[in-house]
Amino acid sequence: MTIETLTETRSHGGTQGVYSHASTETGTDMTFAAFVPDHEPGETLPVLWYLSGLTCTHANVMEKGEYRAACAKHGIAFIAPDTSPRGDDVPDAPDEYDFGKGAGFYVDAVCHPWSKHYRMRSYIESELPAVIAKEFPINMQRQSITGHSMGGHGALTIGLRNAGRYRSISAFSPIVAPSHVPWGQKAFARYLGDDRQVWREYDAIALIEDGARHDNILIDQGTSDNFLEEQLQTYRLSSACKETGIPAVIRMQDGYDHSYFFISTFMADHIEWHARKLHDKD
């Protein structure tokens, strides 16, 4: 497997790149962004994965997330994949921003016609890490994961399902219980079918109810987020963590909304928090 370098740019004492490769999971070319701080020859770096939200690509956080200075300071590589497969042959719902291209929800779809290409769970959990391990100076024993909105859902569910792999999990404005909100119900019914038992492995609250645990979880949620009440429902995660003894840090940030103005405000804080976990001695 080889990658194509689309762009590489010097920034904050490191290299910000955009790369493409042919994915066997999605059956398409997939694009991702990677920031790699300067490092000594032969040195490998811990990695923070960032999963983006609805309508986004790798470019949103790369252009607006303001992560490079903090990653360079703490010696952490930052990988931002796309949110769904792309291409003329990939089925889409062009009049629906919350479904189809840009809205893969980090699931492996099982329903036609989505199942052929919409395999973002396997892509993020298995295929892309193998690409990164081969092509970049990454210490795969030191991984953490974060994300925003739909990507916050992805970070929580992937992190909880693979608790031994990720040293820490964080999220900005995550969809914590997609089985209970319109965005998730729409996507799950069409990608996964009507069996709600199948949905549970893609729902952070259900995973916690079914026994998933992680000791290092950080959530930031804006109180002026217009999606908070209907789609995000942070209170469900607060309740689930309290009931199960998970020591999550869930911070309601007064006056902040759902945008990258919010994300960029707290990005360096999240990276510093992850850095303490990623650089802990075993």
Side-chain angles (χ1 to χ4, degrees):
M1 184 182 296
T2 59
I3 65 171
E4 178 184 358
T5 299
L6 303 181
T7 63
E8 285 187 337
T9 306
R10 186 83 176 145
S11 181
H12 287 283
T15 300
Q16 175 64 66
V18 179
Y19 308 92
S20 176
H21 71 106
S23 167
T24 58
E25 287 293 348
T26 68
T28 67
D29 287 344
M30 294 295 291
T31 301
F32 63 92
F35 176 71
V36 180
D38 290 349
H39 53 281
E40 296 297 325
E43 180 185 4
T44 57
L45 302 172
V47 61
L48 178 60
W49 300 88
Y50 179 90
L51 305 184
S52 292
L54 287 167
T55 75
C56 292
T57 70
H58 67 282
N60 296 76
V61 69
M62 184 178 74
E63 295 169 359
K64 298 183 287 189
E66 300 183 22
Y67 55 84
R68 280 172 286 269
C71 284
K73 175 182 178 181
H74 296 289
I76 295 171
F78 189 97
I79 308 295
D82 203 347
T83 51
S84 74
R86 311 275 177 175
D88 293 341
D89 295 333
V90 176
D92 192 17
D95 296 327
E96 304 173 63
Y97 78 95
D98 54 357
F99 191 77
K101 293 179 185 178
F105 269 87
Y106 305 100
V107 306
D108 281 352
V110 298
C111 296
H112 181 78
W114 316 103
S115 57
K116 181 178 180 181
H117 297 291
Y118 284 76
R119 296 186 51 79
M120 292 303 295
R121 171 184 178 173
S122 291
Y123 177 72
I124 299 296
E125 288 187 350
S126 300
E127 185 176 18
L128 186 57
V131 172
I132 297 302
K134 180 176 182 291
E135 300 288 344
F136 294 89
I138 301 301
N139 181 349
M140 299 303 281
Q141 301 305 310
R142 295 182 179 272
Q143 301 184 60
S144 292
I145 191 166
T146 187
H148 171 235
S149 193
M150 180 187 72
H153 140 74
L156 284 168
T157 55
I158 290 171
L160 286 167
R161 286 196 305 263
N162 301 276
R165 180 189 305 183
Y166 301 102
R167 297 194 170 203
S168 47
I169 304 166
S170 77
F172 305 89
S173 314
I175 308 170
V176 304
S179 299
H180 295 276
V181 301
W183 278 341
Q185 290 169 343
K186 175 181 181 176
F188 286 5
R190 293 164 74 176
Y191 289 141
L192 303 173
D194 295 331
D195 185 353
R196 286 181 171 252
Q197 279 299 119
V198 176
W199 297 13
R200 295 186 68 81
E201 61 188 295
Y202 298 108
D203 185 304
I205 303 305
L207 286 167
I208 291 171
E209 290 173 348
D210 294 342
R213 299 289 183 269
H214 203 290
D215 289 338
N216 297 311
I217 297 175
L218 170 65
I219 307 295
D220 273 320
Q221 172 63 59
T223 61
S224 295
D225 189 322
N226 58 315
F227 298 115
L228 176 57
E229 182 175 347
E230 182 180 27
Q231 304 283 10
L232 307 178
Q233 300 188 354
T234 311
Y235 72 89
R236 291 183 183 270
L237 183 62
S238 298
S239 297
C241 290
K242 288 178 182 177
E243 290 171 3
T244 55
I246 295 174
V249 177
I250 300 176
R251 309 187 299 196
M252 302 302 294
Q253 301 290 1
D254 188 45
Y256 285 91
D257 63 11
H258 199 71
S259 72
Y260 269 88
F261 294 110
F262 163 61
I263 298 166
S264 63
T265 300
F266 298 99
M267 178 66 82
D269 192 30
H270 279 233
I271 291 169
E272 182 178 3
W273 180 82
H274 284 294
R276 292 196 292 270
K277 320 302 179 184
L278 287 167
H279 290 300
D280 277 349
K281 293 183 179 179
D282 296 328

